[in-house]
Amino acid sequence: MIWDTFTWTTPPWQRNEDCTHMAVTLVNTGGGEIAITTESVRGDDATEALADLLMGPGGKGSGTVLLPGLVGVVVRRGIDVMWMAQPPISISANGAGEWEIGVAGADPGEVTAFSATDAHDLFTRLWAAYPS
């Protein structure tokens, strides 16, 4: 993913608005186990929602992208507590040592999967653009 510029007037983590997306953070805890955490986030699209997760409360200070074993983040448009409680996400390691993330029953454009590399890259660019 390429994050050349940020075109928003107000960054999503500084907006006073309701959440519009759900973010599912996937972390490899070892032994073939993947831990998930879900959170409501703000943004006009999946990238802005990921930016809110990374820079908002619990993000910039604690460093979501610094989690050991981060596999990726799945962002879904809309808030659905049933989906949030048990997201239909499948994760598998491919032969190249990378993770493949799949989402069952997702409509095109409704769900975006970001790899750990994508999340790290976006965080680095956000930190450079918004250091405080």
Side-chain angles (χ1 to χ4, degrees):
M1 300 244 161
I2 297 174
W3 330 96
D4 289 330
T5 59
F6 304 111
T7 58
W8 51 62
T9 304
T10 303
W13 62 92
Q14 294 177 347
R15 296 177 191 165
N16 185 17
E17 62 185 30
D18 291 337
C19 293
T20 55
H21 292 73
M22 295 178 294
V24 180
T25 303
L26 310 163
V27 178
N28 180 4
T29 59
E33 298 293 318
I34 302 291
I36 66 167
T37 56
T38 58
E39 183 174 338
S40 299
V41 289
R42 301 162 289 201
D44 293 335
D45 57 33
T47 301
E48 286 190 14
L50 179 61
D52 186 40
L53 175 72
L54 298 174
M55 299 292 281
K60 192 170 184 180
S62 65
T64 297
V65 297
L66 302 177
L67 290 170
L70 180 68
V71 171
V73 178
V74 175
V75 175
R76 180 185 186 273
R77 177 173 292 285
I79 305 297
D80 179 342
V81 293
M82 295 305 291
W83 198 93
M84 195 176 225
Q86 191 171 10
I89 297 171
S90 62
I91 302 138
S92 60
N94 66 21
E98 297 172 354
W99 294 96
E100 294 185 19
I101 302 169
V103 182
D107 293 330
E110 178 184 52
V111 177
T112 304
F114 296 95
S115 70
T117 302
D118 294 337
H120 285 276
D121 183 46
L122 179 58
F123 181 76
T124 300
R125 292 178 183 272
L126 288 167
W127 185 263
Y130 302 95
S132 57

